Amino acid sequence: MQKEKLEKLASEKSKPCVTISMNTHRTHPENIQDTIVLKKMCKEAEDRLISEFGKRPILPLLESLEQISTGIDMKYNLESQHIFLSNDTKEIIKSSWPATEDKVQISETFDIGPLIKSANKDFEYLILLLSQSGVKLLVALNNTIIGEIENDYFPFTKNPHFNTEPNKINDPRSADNMVREYFNTVDKAVVKVFNQTNLNCMVICTDDNYSRLMKVADKPGIYKGHTSVDYSNQSNLQIGAQAWEIMKEQQVMSEKAAIDEMKSAAGHGKTISDLFKIYLAIKEGRGDLLIVYNDFRQAVKMSGESAFDLVDDPSQIVLIDDIANELARLVLSKKGRVVFTDQQEMKELGDIILKTRY
């Protein structure tokens, strides 16, 4: 879900676009300070906007700023928070990686640079807490629960399906059918969330209930495993840690699939590994998949609209301190895909490589 948001933000051009990046705290009472810092940063943004643009042309943006400064729930804070606002856009993204600094930027585009690499380190998914006494659907980022789905379906109350006919009350088959009917309703609600978010789901329930869920699931492939811990006696911190032990393998598999795709493309002559040629191909809209080794970093100085010089001396003045981030932003803005990885198999392809669309 966050990667889809980044794609949208990367392609937006509006005057003005406001980006607020700030470090946050996961626990109380430290997160009380986060609210104070946010209000100050929103006030800074408001003063700068009014000074440059006046009130009337940016009234929707100013209203969004007011709502942001008082309306963000700090209960699910992670290491940092990034807010993107324009007259047409209001987006809040929380990250499990710290921001370089607390910063307000006002420009014609959003500053998504701090989030590009972290978005590829992060793995977002759903956790279904499934029982006959009630059902919750949580949103997790790596080992941390960052929210709960609350809509027309979730959370579910206890199973409303039960037999009232005297001759069926003690019938195990009839009771099992009632449970399956309940889980079928739950599954359809999960599928609706999946269709909206594209987030896979990990389930916490008994072995029997997971087996029943799989028998009625419309899209069993969205469920990536389960654990049978008693979540009623677990904190969110423990639930997140338990779920991540199962789900983190999915992240490794996703990166490996991208590397395998790149190797196949290389065998058909559809990859570029030269940094300058990668930049030109992306600018032309030919970038389908960009893979970057996490340790790769290259500062550059633009020498024209479609040219740059490599900068190896960090004391020099540079315009882009990491070209990989800029290439990733451009790929996302043109509906391509980006993967940052630590997998050693990537080294066979180089530090950075692009699969082209044609």
Side-chain angles (χ1 to χ4, degrees):
M1 185 160 55
Q2 291 198 6
K3 290 181 181 179
E4 284 74 17
K5 290 178 182 178
L6 283 181
E7 288 176 9
K8 178 178 178 294
L9 294 169
S11 61
E12 180 162 346
K13 284 193 174 182
S14 179
K15 193 171 183 178
C17 286
V18 177
T19 307
I20 299 174
S21 294
M22 59 177 288
N23 288 295
T24 53
H25 300 83
R26 294 174 183 254
T27 57
H28 184 83
E30 290 83 0
N31 57 16
I32 295 176
Q33 186 66 28
D34 297 340
T35 302
I36 297 171
V37 172
L38 177 60
K39 286 182 178 179
K40 288 181 178 178
M41 296 182 76
C42 286
K43 185 63 170 65
E44 176 191 338
E46 179 185 2
D47 291 344
R48 288 170 56 184
L49 286 166
I50 293 174
S51 174
E52 185 172 350
F53 300 97
K55 284 188 176 182
R56 187 178 297 274
I58 56 168
L59 194 57
L61 174 51
L62 294 176
E63 290 174 350
S64 293
L65 264 176
E66 175 64 25
Q67 294 168 2
I68 288 290
S69 67
T70 59
I72 291 185
D73 184 1
M74 298 294 183
K75 181 170 60 175
Y76 291 109
N77 274 356
L78 300 179
E79 297 303 318
S80 65
Q81 183 169 253
H82 306 264
I83 301 165
F84 305 92
L85 300 172
S86 70
N87 277 340
D88 302 313
T89 297
K90 181 170 73 172
E91 200 67 72
I92 302 166
I93 297 180
K94 298 184 179 185
S95 173
S96 56
W97 305 92
T100 306
E101 59 179 326
D102 293 352
K103 180 181 178 183
V104 175
Q105 174 175 300
I106 298 174
S107 180
E108 294 184 358
T109 58
F110 291 120
D111 180 15
I112 67 168
L115 282 176
I116 289 176
K117 281 189 177 180
S118 65
N120 281 272
K121 297 176 186 175
D122 289 336
F123 194 79
E124 195 174 4
Y125 57 99
L126 302 171
I127 301 176
L128 182 68
L129 306 180
L130 179 68
S131 75
Q132 296 182 54
S133 60
V135 179
K136 290 184 177 182
L137 188 62
L138 307 177
V139 182
L141 189 67
N142 297 343
N143 63 352
T144 304
I145 292 171
I146 61 174
E148 179 178 349
I149 300 295
E150 295 178 312
N151 55 24
D152 293 341
Y153 307 98
F154 292 104
F156 276 72
T157 56
K158 66 180 181 179
N159 186 356
H161 305 290
F162 57 90
N163 280 314
T164 57
E165 299 177 37
N167 62 329
K168 291 186 177 180
I169 290 177
N170 296 319
D171 181 357
R173 179 176 296 180
S174 179
D176 187 62
N177 287 338
M178 293 298 97
V179 174
R180 291 193 188 189
E181 185 176 347
Y182 179 55
F183 287 174
N184 184 45
T185 304
V186 171
D187 169 68
K188 283 178 167 49
V190 174
V191 169
K192 287 183 178 180
V193 175
F194 170 80
N195 290 339
Q196 294 170 350
T197 64
N198 202 35
L199 296 180
N200 288 311
C201 187
M202 183 269 172
V203 188
I204 295 181
C205 66
T206 65
D207 292 342
D208 284 345
N209 281 341
Y210 189 70
S211 176
R212 287 165 170 159
L213 177 66
M214 290 299 97
K215 289 176 181 177
V216 300
D218 291 339
K219 291 185 177 180
I222 70 175
Y223 300 102
K224 299 302 180 181
H226 87 290
T227 181
S228 57
V229 297
D230 180 9
Y231 69 80
S232 62
N233 293 318
Q234 298 269 331
S235 67
N236 277 358
L237 186 65
Q238 292 169 311
I239 290 171
Q242 188 77 24
W244 181 234
E245 283 303 309
I246 293 174
M247 291 300 293
K248 63 184 177 182
E249 182 61 28
Q250 295 296 318
Q251 184 183 42
V252 174
M253 291 171 60
S254 178
E255 290 180 6
K256 186 178 186 308
I259 293 171
D260 289 344
E261 180 182 342
M262 188 67 75
K263 285 182 175 180
S264 176
H268 292 86
K270 293 181 64 178
T271 61
I272 303 172
S273 56
D274 179 86
L275 201 55
F276 299 98
K277 292 179 180 178
I278 288 175
Y279 180 70
L280 291 175
I282 293 173
K283 291 277 284 187
E284 294 168 358
R286 297 195 292 122
D288 178 30
L289 171 64
L290 179 72
I291 304 183
V292 185
Y293 195 71
N294 268 332
D295 287 345
F296 176 73
R297 186 183 183 92
Q298 178 62 61
V300 303
K301 182 177 181 180
M302 300 304 297
S303 56
E305 189 169 327
S306 297
F308 55 80
D309 297 317
L310 303 184
V311 178
D312 295 322
D313 182 356
S315 66
Q316 291 187 38
I317 298 175
V318 298
L319 297 182
I320 300 177
D321 62 359
D322 187 0
I323 189 62
N325 270 351
E326 177 60 13
L327 293 174
R329 186 192 70 79
L330 288 171
V331 169
L332 290 173
S333 72
K334 297 179 183 295
K335 307 300 182 184
R337 296 166 292 154
V338 178
V339 172
F340 284 83
T341 183
D342 285 319
Q343 293 195 30
Q344 288 299 309
E345 195 175 355
M346 170 63 185
K347 283 296 188 179
E348 299 174 23
L349 299 168
D351 287 322
I352 183 168
I353 188 167
L354 178 73
K355 175 191 171 189
T356 57
R357 290 191 170 105
Y358 52 87

